[in-house]
């Protein structure tokens, strides 16, 4: 499961800020962190991880 929302809350980062840092649209960021749980492509996932300063594996939580 992609846990972008939790990491963004923890780091107090807005969708707009992340969009500015990654070049990914705010709407797409919102889809990644929203209830529909759309997961990013590998390249977008890497951009997001870099902008958040986390290891890409931290964005993924294994399902129980």
């Amino acid at each position: 499961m992609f846990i972008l929302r939790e990491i963004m809350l923890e780091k107090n980062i807005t969708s707009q800020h992340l969009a500015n840092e990654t070049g990914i649209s705010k709407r797409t960021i919102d889809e990644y962190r929203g209830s529909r749980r759309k997961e990013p492509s590998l390249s977008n996932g890497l951009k997001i991880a870099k902008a958040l300063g986390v290891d890409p594996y931290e964005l993924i939580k294994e399902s129980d």
Side-chain angles (χ1 to χ4, degrees), residues 4 6 15 20-22 25-26 28-29 31 36-37 39-41 44 47-48 51 58 60:
L4 178 60
E6 292 85 347
S15 294
N20 293 343
E21 292 292 313
T22 61
S25 74
K26 180 184 178 294
T28 300
I29 296 291
E31 288 176 356
R36 287 177 287 216
R37 294 288 181 188
E39 292 191 5
S41 65
N44 280 353
K47 288 178 189 177
I48 290 168
E58 291 180 51
I60 302 167

Side-chain angles (χ1 to χ4, degrees), residues 2 8 14-15 17-22 26 28 35-36 38-39 41 45 50 55 57 59 61 63-64:
F2 193 63
M8 288 176 65
T14 65
S15 294
H17 177 79
L18 191 56
N20 293 343
E21 292 292 313
T22 61
K26 180 184 178 294
T28 300
S35 60
R36 287 177 287 216
K38 176 180 175 182
E39 292 191 5
S41 65
K50 183 177 180 181
D55 185 288
Y57 289 105
L59 294 173
K61 179 180 177 185
S63 299
D64 293 332

